[in-house]
Amino acid sequence: MVVVGCALLGLLVGSFANVVIHRVPQGASIVSPPSACPACATPIRPQDNIPVVSWLLLRGRCRACGEPISARYLLVEIACGVLFALVGARIGWDWALPGFLLFVWTLLVLAVIDARTRKIPNRLTYRLTPALLTLFVLAGLLSGDPTTALRSVLGGVAAFAALLVIALISPRGMGMGDVKLAGFIGIGLGYLGWGYVVLGVFAGFVVGGLSGMALLATRARSRRDLIPFGPYLAIGAVVAVLAGDTLIRGYLRSVGLA
Ligand SMILES: [Zn+2]
């Protein structure tokens, strides 16, 4: 039940994620005007705006002008549905569920925007970070465990501070957008435990480092190109939420601590 409900909700808010991904980097409003074809500006009719289904029925083309509509729209909706279903399965019916859904939705949006524009917009982090913190503090208090609420706050501060130090030491690779994103990630992972905060940031660096080496090796990127780091931090955070339990226990067992 939770998983199916989350998947459907994910497809719906995946549509909205596309609007945010498209409009926020342009500085446009995300509520008006209603969705329109990027090529001919014809407003999209409600029956053509059904997540995933409409894109497939129209074969990825605008009904009015026939211009192709990027497969990114389809992929973001599917990714959002899948992420929500996985979070539903992992967290279950819990006070923390809304927080973790907002968590993965935001990470998906910021990762795609960062990959496209190499910027993580303050307009999003400044609004969504307090919203996320509120959800997790409430979840901690409502589930009768104030220490998880406190750990959420401290996790955010610690991850922000850790990336700030790294950004100051090596200002080339990392921007303040990444530091703010790390603060956002620390809030969600802090709710689960300190091991998750460490694992999430570490996994981000591992995935980022490996991809960076692969891109350099295949000469797809030269060393001077700026490789956006946000998507890797986001992937690391999602891995920590979904598989952190297994990974942390495996690690503790391998070093003989569990
Ligand atoms: Zn069109």
Side-chain angles (χ1 to χ4, degrees):
M1 258 309 277
V2 184
V3 175
V4 175
C6 285
L8 292 175
L9 180 66
L11 291 175
L12 283 176
V13 297
S15 257
F16 182 60
N18 275 319
V19 174
V20 174
I21 288 166
H22 184 68
R23 293 190 186 178
V24 165
Q26 302 173 338
S29 163
I30 53 172
V31 283
S32 69
S35 298
C37 166
C40 70
T42 305
I44 294 169
R45 304 187 302 181
Q47 65 268 36
D48 289 344
N49 211 3
I50 305 162
V52 180
V53 177
S54 293
W55 196 95
L56 294 173
L57 284 179
L58 292 168
R59 293 167 191 276
R61 287 178 184 280
C62 166
R63 189 188 285 280
C65 68
E67 279 295 306
I69 294 169
S70 165
R72 189 187 77 237
Y73 288 88
L74 176 71
L75 295 176
V76 164
E77 285 167 359
I78 293 174
C80 202
V82 169
L83 281 174
F84 271 43
L86 292 171
V87 165
R90 161 75 174 84
I91 306 295
W93 198 242
D94 188 277
W95 289 114
L97 185 59
F100 280 107
L101 294 178
L102 178 67
F103 189 66
V104 292
W105 184 86
T106 305
L107 291 178
L108 175 65
V109 166
L110 293 180
V112 177
I113 290 179
D114 193 23
R116 292 181 69 215
T117 68
R118 292 168 194 199
K119 285 198 182 77
I120 296 176
N122 286 336
R123 193 176 151 200
L124 292 177
T125 45
Y126 286 0
R127 283 171 172 77
L128 292 168
T129 307
L132 188 81
L133 190 61
T134 307
L135 285 180
F136 279 122
V137 168
L138 278 177
L141 297 177
L142 287 169
S143 54
D145 191 359
T147 54
T148 57
L150 180 64
R151 213 172 45 217
S152 242
V153 179
L154 296 178
V157 173
F160 180 90
L163 275 262
L164 181 62
V165 169
I166 296 171
L168 292 176
I169 294 171
S170 64
R172 287 263 314 248
M174 201 169 300
M176 276 311 287
D178 297 317
V179 176
K180 291 166 197 162
L181 174 61
F184 179 89
I185 287 171
I187 292 169
L189 298 182
Y191 188 87
L192 294 174
W194 283 110
Y196 292 81
V197 180
V198 175
L199 171 68
V201 173
F202 180 71
F205 277 95
V206 171
V207 177
L210 291 177
S211 321
M213 281 191 286
L215 287 172
L216 284 177
T218 57
R219 295 173 192 276
R221 293 284 167 89
S222 82
R223 204 171 281 272
R224 291 223 311 270
D225 283 332
L226 190 65
I227 296 170
F229 195 62
Y232 302 121
L233 280 175
I235 292 170
V238 169
V239 167
V241 170
L242 297 177
D245 207 23
T246 319
L247 291 170
I248 291 170
R249 246 184 297 135
Y251 173 76
L252 291 178
R253 208 174 300 131
S254 74
V255 296
L257 287 172

